[in-house]
């Protein structure tokens, strides 16, 4: 019997095809029914031992990664520099919204799609309302996630795939790169210079993540994948929506396919919702964290980086100035 890492590495050979993996690769032929049952058992045991996931969760991740690769047309968007010694098995995973760029990539995309009449404002409003509510409260319900997913898929059903890809590239160039945190880009560049892979992992449509990754010279991007057929969207989802546990499933599948050692990997995010992804790597980092993630990171001793200019200005200048003013007023009151 193959070791768990060897068994899971065969996913790259099977291209995420579960039937072929179970029936052709997991074990030597021993009869179709017995082979399938034994293959499923072997794969499930390896997945549980390696990632702590069940087979269904891992399968969703494999579908998400396979869909991302198909959308990109290749597994890696940016070729590795042959002059840089590769740190085999090491990678960095970056969330997008408020980690790499300021604000919501989905809202930027939706606004632009409405302006260009790819979708109508009436169609857009329900999804925007949910996004705004989440950004204000910092909380998102499972019902909101599910209904938002169905709304988004219905919006693009029957629309041109090529047109959306071009729109995403244009939006990234004209709007998102200007909103990127330069310090986060520098962190990613340090990983690349160290011979490590850099992947964006976001709930945003995969076309946005891939356009960002390509422009910034990152290895690739995983995102929410809408199914394509004959050049248009079908209205169905491929794999998981990459939110919360969905990111964990996709990163686990990517780690199996790329033979990554998650203990050598780093993950960056601003949101407590990404805790499943952060906790599966050896080096989790909170960037511009929400209140819940900041508290959790401090309790765990994780690094916390805050690149939000207004908050940094308040902490660096306004709070010390207020403290000095308060001290001066107190001294003056005592003298009276």
């Amino acid at each position: 019997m193959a070791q768990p890492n060897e068994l899971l590495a065969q996913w790259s050979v099977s291209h995420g095809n579960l039937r072929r993996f179970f029936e052709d690769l997991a074990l030597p032929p021993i009869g179709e029914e017995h082979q399938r049952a034994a293959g499923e058992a072997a794969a499930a045991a390896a997945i549980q031992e390696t990632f702590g996931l069940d087979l269904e969760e891992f399968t969703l991740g494999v579908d998400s990664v396979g869909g991302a690769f198909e959308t990109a047309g290749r597994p890696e968007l940016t070729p590795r520099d042959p002059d840089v010694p590769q740190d085999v098995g090491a990678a960095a995973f970056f969330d997008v919204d408020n980690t790499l760029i300021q604000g919501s990539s989905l809202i930027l995309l939706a606004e632009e799609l409405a302006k260009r009449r790819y979708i109508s404002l009436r169609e857009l409003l329900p999804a925007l309302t949910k996004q705004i509510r989440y950004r204000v409260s910092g909380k998102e319900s499972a019902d909101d996630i599910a209904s938002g997913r169905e709304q988004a898929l219905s919006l693009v059903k029957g629309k041109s795939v090529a047109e959306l890809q071009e729109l995403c590239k244009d939006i990234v160039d004209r709007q998102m790169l200007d909103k990127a945190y330069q310090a986060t880009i520098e962190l990613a560049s340090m990983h690349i210079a160290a011979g490590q892979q850099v992947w964006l992992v976001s709930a945003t449509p995969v076309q946005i993540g891939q356009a960002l990754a390509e422009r910034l010279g990152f290895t690739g991007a995983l995102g929410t994948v809408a199914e394509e057929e004959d050049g248009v969207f079908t209205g169905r989802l491929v794999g998981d929506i990459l939110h919360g546990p969905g990111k964990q499933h996709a990163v686990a599948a990517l780690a199996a396919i790329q033979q990554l050692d998650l203990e050598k990997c780093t993950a960056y995010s601003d949101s407590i919702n990404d805790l499943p992804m952060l906790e599966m790597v050896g080096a989790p980092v909170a960037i511009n964290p929400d209140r819940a993630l900041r508290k959790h990171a401090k309790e765990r001793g994780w690094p916390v980086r805050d690149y939000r200019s207004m908050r940094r200005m308040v902490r660096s200048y306004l709070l010390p100035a207020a403290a000095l003013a308060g001290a001066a007023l107190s001294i003056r009151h005592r003298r009276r």
Side-chain angles (χ1 to χ4, degrees), residues 2-14:
Q3 293 300 310
N5 62 333
E6 296 170 348
L7 192 63
L8 294 175
Q10 293 180 56
W11 280 95
S12 57
V13 179
S14 67

Side-chain angles (χ1 to χ4, degrees), residues 288-309:
N288 306 327
D290 58 30
R291 184 176 300 175
L293 180 58
R294 180 180 294 275
K295 180 175 182 293
H296 188 87
K298 287 186 174 180
E299 288 174 351
R300 295 295 184 91
W302 296 352
V304 176
R305 300 173 183 267
D306 202 323
Y307 302 136
R308 290 166 289 194
S309 56

